Amino acid sequence: MRTALTIAGADPSGGAGIQADLMVFESFGVKGLSAITALTAQDGKRVHAVEPVSSEFLLKEITVLLKKFSVDAVKIGMLGTGQNGLALARLFKRTGLNNIVLDTVFASTGGRPLIDEGGVDAVKGLIKYAYIVTPNLGEASMITGIDVRDLRSMEEAALAIHSMGARAVLIKGGHLEGNPVDVLFDGKRFDYFKGRRLKGTKERFHGTGCMLSAGIAAGLAKGNGLKKAVEDARERLIAILKKRGTRKAARKIEL
Ligand code: PXL
């Protein structure tokens, strides 16, 4: 069985982070391994608190796994601290892990920082180890300094991130005006993935970036080409979001 490792934060509400990644790996028939960068206290709507793990502990989690399992793809999500990012860069330099999908997580949808100061630079330091980097518009702006808000600037940002050393870049257009378009640059050419805007509360879309990057990692772990991995991950994500929309609202428990 092919194996994918997620290095990300834990989301006890299950919609994002490690919990969502493992669910997606499983849905693709890929064995999931996980290394937790940070604990969070959240209810699916708001992140109430974040408790990062030390970079020493994070490395321990990963090196113990690498001794036992061969890892076909890696997904990186929330890092918690810049220190964790720096430690991962040193590890990738030493171990030469392949098929790294870097989801550049800086903050929750509600605006809570999911990485400390200096985090943006640490994330940038991981770009050269990535097969593919998957920023949204805001993250692409923070990484490149370009005001990314339309197709033209998405292409420009993809080229800039590619020149930082990633083999490929997927800029997610979920925050565009009108119908969303994701822009993939594979180092040679652009592909455009058009979608229809789904309606719903923020809760419905909690963890979409996590699930997309996990789906891409699962596809790469299975040996699929990049474009197919992106297409399959998008399709699976849309199916999950559609299902979420029809599920009756969870019963509230008064505490
Ligand atoms: O969607 C970004 C994200 C990633 N990882 C964890 C999160 C969130 C958003 O809340 O909680 C653990």
Side-chain angles (χ1 to χ4, degrees):
M1 201 175 189
R2 296 300 181 98
T3 300
L5 165 66
T6 169
I7 303 172
D11 172 4
S13 74
I18 293 274
Q19 285 83 348
D21 295 344
L22 292 176
M23 178 271 289
V24 170
F25 291 165
E26 164 117 26
S27 83
F28 277 103
V30 168
K31 177 180 171 55
L33 303 174
S34 57
I36 298 183
T37 56
L39 304 175
T40 68
Q42 59 177 306
D43 52 19
K45 205 168 181 181
R46 195 162 77 80
V47 178
H48 292 247
V50 173
E51 190 79 28
V53 307
S54 70
S55 54
E56 292 77 20
F57 188 78
L58 177 63
L59 283 185
K60 192 79 189 165
E61 290 182 80
I62 299 169
T63 49
V64 164
L65 290 173
L66 293 182
K67 277 196 189 122
K68 172 98 199 263
F69 301 95
S70 80
V71 170
D72 300 297
V74 180
K75 172 245 153 97
I76 302 170
M78 169 187 181
L79 289 171
T81 62
Q83 280 303 323
N84 281 345
L86 296 176
L88 287 181
R90 286 193 296 272
L91 177 81
F92 294 150
K93 196 169 179 184
R94 268 197 293 124
T95 53
L97 280 161
N98 281 325
N99 291 333
I100 296 174
V101 181
L102 174 61
D103 188 20
T104 48
V105 176
F106 296 137
S108 70
T109 315
R112 172 122 195 170
L114 297 178
I115 190 156
D116 59 6
E117 291 136 41
V120 177
D121 282 337
V123 171
K124 278 187 178 177
L126 289 171
I127 289 176
K128 64 172 182 278
Y129 299 103
Y131 186 156
I132 181 167
V133 187
T134 64
N136 61 26
L137 301 187
E139 293 157 1
S141 299
M142 285 172 80
I143 294 166
T144 62
I146 297 166
D147 181 14
V148 186
R149 56 191 160 115
D150 54 19
L151 276 187
R152 197 78 190 265
S153 48
M154 287 166 85
E155 289 168 350
E156 204 186 322
L159 291 172
I161 295 171
H162 178 259
S163 73
M164 295 176 191
R167 267 174 77 183
V169 184
L170 180 73
I171 312 254
K172 297 172 291 190
H175 297 132
L176 285 170
E177 303 264 322
N179 278 333
V181 183
D182 294 345
V183 174
L184 174 67
F185 181 64
D186 68 358
K188 286 202 180 102
R189 50 173 293 209
F190 287 101
D191 277 296
Y192 303 86
F193 299 90
K194 295 183 182 155
R196 290 234 329 273
R197 186 162 298 287
L198 298 172
K199 290 205 178 89
T201 60
K202 276 198 179 137
E203 269 167 294
R204 187 179 187 191
F205 301 106
H206 176 59
T208 50
C210 301
M211 292 187 281
L212 184 73
S213 55
I216 297 170
L220 296 177
K222 287 163 78 164
N224 293 338
L226 186 64
K227 194 169 168 192
K228 177 165 170 51
V230 171
E231 271 165 0
D232 290 351
R234 280 175 47 89
E235 213 172 89
R236 185 63 46 90
L237 172 63
I238 291 162
I240 293 169
L241 292 179
K242 285 192 170 157
K243 222 160 136 191
R244 268 192 190 175
T246 56
R247 204 186 292 151
K248 287 219 171 76
R251 195 162 56 88
K252 276 202 186 131
I253 299 169
E254 301 292 336
L255 293 175

Coordinates of all heavy atoms in Angstrom, one line a residue, residues 4-51:
A4 N 1.4 8.0 2.6 CA 1.6 9.5 2.6 C 1.7 10.0 4.0 O 1.0 9.5 4.9 CB 0.4 10.2 1.8
L5 N 2.5 10.9 4.2 CA 2.7 11.5 5.6 C 2.2 12.9 5.6 O 2.6 13.7 4.7 CB 4.2 11.5 5.9 CG 4.7 12.4 7.1 CD1 4.2 11.9 8.4 CD2 6.3 12.4 7.1
T6 N 1.4 13.3 6.5 CA 1.0 14.7 6.7 C 1.7 15.2 7.9 O 1.7 14.6 9.0 CB -0.6 14.8 6.9 OG1 -0.8 16.2 7.3 CG2 -1.2 13.9 7.8
I7 N 2.3 16.4 7.7 CA 2.9 17.1 8.8 C 2.1 18.4 9.0 O 2.1 19.3 8.1 CB 4.4 17.5 8.4 CG1 5.2 16.2 8.1 CG2 5.1 18.3 9.5 CD1 6.6 16.5 7.5
A8 N 1.3 18.5 10.0 CA 0.3 19.6 10.1 C -0.2 19.7 11.5 O 0.2 18.9 12.4 CB -0.9 19.2 9.1
G9 N -1.1 20.7 11.7 CA -1.7 20.9 13.0 C -2.9 19.9 13.2 O -3.5 19.5 12.2
A10 N -3.3 19.7 14.5 CA -4.4 18.9 14.8 C -5.7 19.7 14.9 O -5.6 20.8 15.6 CB -4.2 18.1 16.1
D11 N -6.8 19.3 14.3 CA -8.0 20.0 14.4 C -9.0 19.1 15.1 O -9.6 18.2 14.4 CB -8.5 20.5 13.0 CG -9.9 21.0 13.1 OD1 -10.5 21.2 14.2 OD2 -10.5 21.3 12.0
P12 N -9.3 19.3 16.4 CA -10.2 18.4 17.1 C -11.6 18.4 16.5 O -12.3 17.4 16.7 CB -10.2 18.9 18.5 CG -9.1 19.9 18.6 CD -8.8 20.4 17.2
S13 N -12.0 19.4 15.8 CA -13.3 19.5 15.2 C -13.4 18.6 13.9 O -14.5 18.4 13.4 CB -13.8 20.9 14.9 OG -13.1 21.4 13.8
G14 N -12.2 18.2 13.4 CA -12.2 17.2 12.3 C -12.2 17.7 10.9 O -11.9 17.0 10.0
G15 N -12.5 19.0 10.7 CA -12.7 19.5 9.4 C -11.4 19.9 8.6 O -11.4 19.9 7.4
A16 N -10.4 20.2 9.4 CA -9.1 20.6 8.8 C -8.0 19.8 9.4 O -8.2 18.8 10.1 CB -8.9 22.1 9.0
G17 N -6.7 20.2 9.0 CA -5.5 19.7 9.6 C -5.4 18.2 9.5 O -5.9 17.6 8.6
I18 N -4.6 17.6 10.4 CA -4.3 16.2 10.4 C -5.5 15.3 10.2 O -5.5 14.3 9.4 CB -3.6 15.8 11.8 CG1 -2.3 16.5 11.9 CG2 -3.6 14.3 12.0 CD1 -1.1 15.7 11.3
Q19 N -6.6 15.6 10.9 CA -7.8 14.8 10.9 C -8.4 14.7 9.5 O -8.8 13.7 9.0 CB -8.8 15.2 11.9 CG -8.5 14.9 13.4 CD -7.6 15.9 14.0 OE1 -7.0 16.8 13.4 NE2 -7.4 15.8 15.3
A20 N -8.5 15.9 8.8 CA -9.0 15.9 7.5 C -8.1 15.2 6.5 O -8.5 14.5 5.6 CB -9.2 17.4 7.1
D21 N -6.8 15.5 6.7 CA -5.8 14.9 5.8 C -5.9 13.3 5.8 O -5.8 12.7 4.8 CB -4.4 15.3 6.2 CG -4.1 16.8 6.0 OD1 -4.9 17.4 5.3 OD2 -3.1 17.3 6.6
L22 N -6.0 12.8 7.0 CA -6.0 11.3 7.1 C -7.3 10.8 6.5 O -7.3 9.7 5.9 CB -5.9 10.9 8.6 CG -4.5 11.1 9.3 CD1 -4.6 10.8 10.8 CD2 -3.4 10.4 8.6
M23 N -8.4 11.5 6.7 CA -9.6 11.1 6.1 C -9.5 11.0 4.5 O -9.9 10.1 3.9 CB -10.7 12.0 6.5 CG -12.1 11.8 6.0 SD -12.4 12.6 4.4 CE -12.5 14.3 4.9
V24 N -8.8 12.1 4.0 CA -8.6 12.1 2.5 C -7.7 11.0 2.0 O -8.0 10.3 1.0 CB -8.1 13.5 2.1 CG1 -7.7 13.5 0.6 CG2 -9.2 14.6 2.3
F25 N -6.6 10.8 2.7 CA -5.7 9.7 2.4 C -6.4 8.4 2.3 O -6.3 7.6 1.3 CB -4.5 9.6 3.4 CG -3.5 10.7 3.4 CD1 -2.6 10.8 4.5 CD2 -3.4 11.6 2.4 CE1 -1.7 11.9 4.6 CE2 -2.5 12.7 2.4 CZ -1.7 12.8 3.5
E26 N -7.2 8.2 3.3 CA -8.0 6.9 3.4 C -8.9 6.8 2.2 O -9.1 5.7 1.6 CB -8.7 6.9 4.7 CG -9.8 5.9 4.8 CD -9.6 4.8 5.9 OE1 -8.9 5.1 6.8 OE2 -10.1 3.7 5.7
S27 N -9.6 7.9 1.9 CA -10.6 7.9 0.8 C -9.9 7.5 -0.6 O -10.5 7.1 -1.5 CB -11.4 9.2 0.7 OG -10.6 10.1 0.0
F28 N -8.6 7.8 -0.7 CA -7.9 7.5 -1.9 C -7.2 6.1 -1.8 O -6.4 5.7 -2.7 CB -6.8 8.6 -2.2 CG -7.3 9.8 -2.9 CD1 -7.6 11.0 -2.2 CD2 -7.6 9.7 -4.3 CE1 -8.1 12.1 -2.9 CE2 -8.1 10.8 -4.9 CZ -8.3 12.0 -4.2
G29 N -7.4 5.4 -0.7 CA -6.7 4.1 -0.5 C -5.3 4.2 -0.3 O -4.5 3.3 -0.6
V30 N -4.8 5.3 0.4 CA -3.4 5.5 0.7 C -3.3 5.4 2.2 O -4.1 6.0 2.9 CB -2.9 6.9 0.2 CG1 -1.6 7.2 0.7 CG2 -2.9 6.9 -1.4
K31 N -2.2 4.7 2.6 CA -2.0 4.6 4.1 C -1.5 6.0 4.6 O -0.6 6.6 4.0 CB -1.0 3.5 4.4 CG -0.6 3.5 5.9 CD 0.4 2.5 6.3 CE 0.8 2.6 7.7 NZ -0.3 2.6 8.7
G32 N -2.1 6.4 5.7 CA -1.8 7.8 6.2 C -0.9 7.7 7.4 O -1.2 6.9 8.4
L33 N 0.2 8.5 7.4 CA 1.0 8.7 8.6 C 0.9 10.1 9.0 O 0.6 11.0 8.1 CB 2.5 8.4 8.3 CG 2.8 7.0 7.8 CD1 4.3 6.9 7.4 CD2 2.5 5.9 8.8
S34 N 1.1 10.5 10.3 CA 1.0 11.9 10.6 C 2.0 12.3 11.7 O 2.4 11.5 12.5 CB -0.4 12.2 11.1 OG -0.7 11.3 12.2
A35 N 2.4 13.6 11.5 CA 3.3 14.2 12.6 C 2.7 15.5 12.9 O 2.4 16.4 12.0 CB 4.7 14.4 12.0
I36 N 2.4 15.7 14.2 CA 1.6 16.9 14.6 C 2.5 18.1 14.9 O 3.4 17.9 15.7 CB 0.7 16.6 15.8 CG1 -0.3 15.5 15.3 CG2 0.0 17.8 16.3 CD1 -1.3 15.1 16.4
T37 N 2.3 19.2 14.3 CA 3.1 20.4 14.5 C 2.6 21.2 15.6 O 3.3 22.0 16.3 CB 3.1 21.3 13.3 OG1 1.8 21.6 12.9 CG2 3.8 20.6 12.1
A38 N 1.3 21.2 15.8 CA 0.6 22.0 16.9 C -0.7 21.4 17.2 O -1.4 20.9 16.4 CB 0.4 23.4 16.3
L39 N -1.1 21.6 18.5 CA -2.5 21.3 18.9 C -3.3 22.6 18.7 O -2.8 23.7 18.9 CB -2.5 20.9 20.4 CG -1.6 19.7 20.8 CD1 -1.7 19.5 22.3 CD2 -2.0 18.5 20.0
T40 N -4.5 22.4 18.4 CA -5.4 23.6 18.4 C -6.7 23.3 19.2 O -7.0 22.1 19.3 CB -5.9 24.0 17.0 OG1 -6.8 23.0 16.5 CG2 -4.7 24.2 16.0
A41 N -7.3 24.3 19.8 CA -8.6 24.1 20.4 C -9.5 24.9 19.5 O -9.4 26.1 19.4 CB -8.6 24.7 21.8
Q42 N -10.4 24.2 18.8 CA -11.4 24.9 17.9 C -12.6 24.1 17.8 O -12.7 22.9 18.1 CB -10.7 25.1 16.6 CG -10.2 23.9 15.9 CD -9.6 24.2 14.5 OE1 -10.3 24.8 13.7 NE2 -8.4 23.8 14.2
D43 N -13.7 24.8 17.3 CA -15.0 24.2 17.2 C -15.5 24.1 15.7 O -16.6 23.9 15.5 CB -16.0 24.9 18.0 CG -16.0 26.4 17.7 OD1 -15.5 26.8 16.6 OD2 -16.4 27.2 18.5
G44 N -14.6 24.3 14.8 CA -15.0 24.2 13.4 C -15.3 25.6 12.8 O -15.5 25.8 11.6
K45 N -15.5 26.5 13.7 CA -15.9 27.9 13.4 C -14.8 28.8 13.7 O -14.4 29.7 13.0 CB -17.2 28.3 14.1 CG -18.0 29.3 13.4 CD -19.4 29.4 14.1 CE -20.2 30.4 13.4 NZ -21.5 30.5 14.0
R46 N -14.3 28.7 14.9 CA -13.2 29.6 15.4 C -12.1 28.8 16.1 O -12.4 27.8 16.8 CB -13.9 30.5 16.4 CG -13.1 31.8 16.7 CD -13.9 32.8 17.4 NE -14.2 32.6 18.8 CZ -13.4 32.8 19.8 NH1 -12.2 33.3 19.6 NH2 -13.7 32.5 21.0
V47 N -10.9 29.2 15.9 CA -9.7 28.6 16.6 C -9.6 29.4 17.9 O -9.4 30.6 17.9 CB -8.5 28.8 15.7 CG1 -7.3 28.2 16.5 CG2 -8.6 28.0 14.4
H48 N -9.7 28.7 19.0 CA -9.7 29.4 20.3 C -8.3 29.5 20.9 O -7.9 30.4 21.6 CB -10.6 28.6 21.3 CG -12.0 28.8 21.0 ND1 -12.9 29.5 21.8 CD2 -12.8 28.3 19.9 CE1 -14.1 29.4 21.2 NE2 -14.1 28.7 20.1
A49 N -7.4 28.5 20.6 CA -6.1 28.5 21.1 C -5.2 27.6 20.3 O -5.7 26.6 19.7 CB -6.1 28.0 22.6
V50 N -3.9 27.9 20.3 CA -2.9 27.1 19.6 C -1.7 26.8 20.5 O -1.3 27.6 21.2 CB -2.4 27.9 18.4 CG1 -1.2 27.2 17.7 CG2 -3.5 28.2 17.3
E51 N -1.3 25.5 20.5 CA -0.2 25.1 21.3 C 0.8 24.3 20.4 O 0.6 23.1 20.2 CB -0.7 24.2 22.4 CG 0.2 23.8 23.5 CD 0.4 24.9 24.6 OE1 -0.5 25.7 24.8 OE2 1.5 24.9 25.1

